[in-house]
Amino acid sequence: MLWVRLGIRELLRNKGFALFFVANLTVGLCGFVAVQSFSRSLDRHLEDNLRTILTADLVLTANAPFTQAETDLVHRVLGPDREQARVIRFFTMVSTRETTRLVQVMAVDASYPLYGGFVLESGTARAAIHDGPGVFMTRDTALALGIREQDTGQMQGSLKEPGRDKDQLLTLGNKDFFVAGFFADDPDKALTTLELAPKLYVGIGHLADTGLLDFGSRVRYHTYVRVSPDTDVSSLSQELRQGFAALAPDQPRISVRDSRDVSQSLSSVTGHFTGYMALVSLVALFLAGIAAAYLFRGFLGGKHREIAVLMSLGARRSGVYVYLFTQLVFLGILAAAIAIALSWLLLPVFPVLLKGLVPPGIRMEMAPMTWVMALGLGGLGSIVFCLPVLVRILSIKPLVLLRGPLAAPGVNGWWQAAAFLPGIAWFCLGAVLVAGSVTTGIIFTAGFALAFLVFAGAGWLGAIWCRHLARTRHLVRKMAFLNLHRNIWSSLACFVTIAMGVFLICLIPQVQKGLQTEIQRPEGLKIPVFFLMDIQDNQTRDLEAFMETQTGILENLSPMVRGRILTVNGTPFHTRENNREAQGRPRRMEHNFSFRRDLDTSESIVQGDPLSRTPWDFGSETPFEISVAQSFAQDHNLAINDVMAFDIQGMVLKGRIKNIRKVRWNSFQPNFFLLFQQGVLDDAPKTWLGAVSRVPPDLRLSLKKNIVETFPNISIIDVTQMITTLTFITDRLSVSVRFMAWLAIAAGLVSIFSIARHQARSQAVQTNLLKVLGAGFADIKRISLLEFGSLGFAAAFVAVLLSIGFSRAVSWYFFDSLWQLDLLYLTGILVLTTLICMATAVAAAGKILKARPMMLLKKT
């Protein structure tokens, strides 16, 4: 206890050191604890609401109505003691008197939803959409469709009284509907609030009259099931999957999902951005640890003589360790306590930063386990960070140190190297844990280590080069660069912390800039205004003739036939190993196939020869030719000359891969994974896709309405709205990552302030000597500005260059080289970092700079 009391008392006498040590760790811990708390809150929200999100215990999904055999299987496995609801989901166009827009129709029966429910305004009955042809929607959807609140009552009357104003109705296909009510809570919970189209709920009994369930329409048939609470849902899911597999050996036609599948799916989505933010916050904590170790080095260096005296009086070396460990643990726990309080205030920021990307209504909480983790990181982390400094005690020999202040021998190199191992292991383990993947954690650690080594090497070379820059008669330049060279370790600590923070800030925007530019204005491609779907085979000529009378150009009218991939080189496709399974993504056997005479401008052959222009002789023993998209070939390990068997509307056909082509999907043109030789699909029942371009903004709404009025079954996607949504997503993700990167910069700035303050104090005699020799306050201030300004500029410049290289590599590996240099942003970060470093250094050294020269005389 004696050593503990001595340690606390020593900290109280060195309030400056204690304050900045705690400030460093607090900033580093704050972001890490906040991200962990947000991630846990998000996971807890999803776990607590899994059944409500799914609206059932089990969901069975198919692309066509269930057959009698499948219905009998469901009844046999689940038994009579169950609740069941039917939902038909599809996209289509809705018309009102003011606009036409793509919507997602949810045709539900009276039992839906089995969990949760509609939170309807004005006490509207849930049966309203079943009693009459009504719809439920949100008020935001009504606003987007131009529906005013006073219109809703008129709509109901319009259907009951034939003479009423038909302009007050919503039209879905061939049938008119009225707004039966508004809901504030959508029972069909999604992970995010961003959707391709708003939802309209209608009664399933009113769907047949719309005429929207034609051949080729993309419709999903769902059966929702609720079982008794004590039922083993996972066992039922497995039994159903096996039963459906027995009915269709090649591939089950019906997919089965339960709450466990939803949990895995949602966790994989949320884990990407929360994991990355946690990794960035881990870097901020590591940088704070570097600064804390440097501060402790200065503190311990001033205590060598005191420690030597204690050891001369009989103190054991173990007692000295307890004395120092007590100080570090106390400061670390204090920093953790402050970080917990600040993180509590920071938590509400995350739902705002990620608005639209996470489900609304998340309850932000900080679990007791998070407190324990933070206190453990603070107490033990401070020791791990400072361990390379603590081993210096091993070199303290009282008799030697009492002879002079700097007579301590060096530390054994093996001990010094071993002292770094716990910190490295701590960082690697932390990266694996927060990333949730050993591979991701190791890759991130390797990338961080590479960046760290580059910055450390550049900083070391720069500090050495400062010796040459100091060879000048100009007082300000000479003293500034000499200080950087003489204090090489403090200069290196500042350089690495600032460089790492700037690197993180500059890395993501480069990737984001390339993605957004490629989405909005892909080089060499023309983005269409509308994308048309569900065009029937007998409508193509009428549509082409219709578009000749309208403003806009119909292009890339492409046939689409749905089929299944059976085998590849005789091996069943659904059992064949592929890259998708390695990434945990489910296998799909059903795909859309097409054919075209010439490739689109968004496609280019990267391997093999073009498909033959001669149509394939249907029924020939020779396999027809196939062109495969490069991404599909990589995912499924396909190569030139592989033979594939297909089930196309009941007929088994074989084809051989002739070429691999690169597809730029961001063109928003009709593109397909698999293109067949002409003559294979020509006579097959098919639907068509198309694109419309060159439509002036003021005529787009009228063109959309004209197409829907003439061809009610055709669905139209507004590409400009989709681009806006995608841009919004990349913006929000970039903002959240930059927010965490600025925390890393904050840790670096605290480090600069602490190191600058320490340097100013250690150079107090030099500073006052310059004043005695006639140097003015302005000159001494300029020395400090140049010293830390050049340090900040050099660190930021190296970090910007490295971020360009790293972002280019990330874009090449993950985003098919979608990258663009944002020179203005990088220049702004470079200038801003330099100015911040200069201001921080002057603020830290201000008291010393203003001290009177009499101080020197008192010390001497």
Side-chain angles (χ1 to χ4, degrees), residues 386-401:
C386 298
L387 197 58
V389 179
L390 285 169
V391 297
R392 292 174 176 270
I393 298 177
L394 296 174
S395 67
I396 295 178
K397 295 182 179 180
L399 294 179
V400 176
L401 285 174

Side-chain angles (χ1 to χ4, degrees), residues 749-765:
L749 293 178
V750 175
S751 304
I752 285 184
F753 190 91
S754 304
I755 294 173
R757 183 174 177 273
H758 173 80
Q759 290 297 99
R761 286 190 170 186
S762 63
Q763 297 173 8
V765 174

Side-chain angles (χ1 to χ4, degrees), residues 49-59 112 115 187-189 224 257-260 262:
N49 295 276
L50 280 178
R51 288 184 172 179
T52 305
I53 292 172
L54 192 61
T55 70
D57 293 310
L58 288 168
V59 179
Y112 179 86
Y115 289 101
D188 182 61
K189 300 293 191 303
Y224 291 75
R257 289 194 306 156
D258 56 32
S259 57
R260 182 184 55 183
V262 174

Side-chain angles (χ1 to χ4, degrees), residues 93-96 166 169-177 708 712:
M93 303 301 294
V94 62
S95 297
T96 65
K166 292 292 183 181
L169 305 176
L170 295 91
T171 302
L172 290 171
N174 301 321
K175 188 166 184 173
D176 295 331
F177 290 78
V708 173

Side-chain angles (χ1 to χ4, degrees), residues 468-542:
H468 299 280
L469 296 177
R471 294 175 181 173
T472 176
R473 294 185 178 181
H474 192 278
L475 176 65
V476 173
R477 290 201 299 270
K478 186 178 187 67
M479 296 306 302
F481 291 118
L482 274 178
N483 288 339
L484 290 174
H485 175 71
R486 291 169 179 168
N487 303 288
I488 189 168
W489 290 111
S490 60
S491 301
L492 193 59
C494 276
F495 187 95
V496 171
T497 51
I498 291 302
M500 190 62 71
V502 173
F503 172 73
L504 293 173
I505 288 176
C506 296
L507 178 63
I508 296 301
Q510 300 305 302
V511 179
Q512 177 202 11
K513 182 77 173 179
L515 286 173
Q516 289 187 350
T517 301
E518 191 69 7
I519 290 172
Q520 296 172 349
R521 297 180 300 277
E523 183 179 356
L525 298 180
K526 178 176 59 178
I527 296 294
V529 177
F530 298 137
F531 190 88
L532 308 183
M533 301 181 297
D534 298 334
I535 305 169
Q536 297 300 304
D537 204 5
N538 58 0
Q539 292 180 317
T540 54
R541 292 185 179 180
D542 294 338

Side-chain angles (χ1 to χ4, degrees), residues 50 120 269 338 535 768 771:
L50 280 178
L120 298 167
V269 174
I338 298 174
I535 305 169
N768 282 278
K771 292 181 180 179

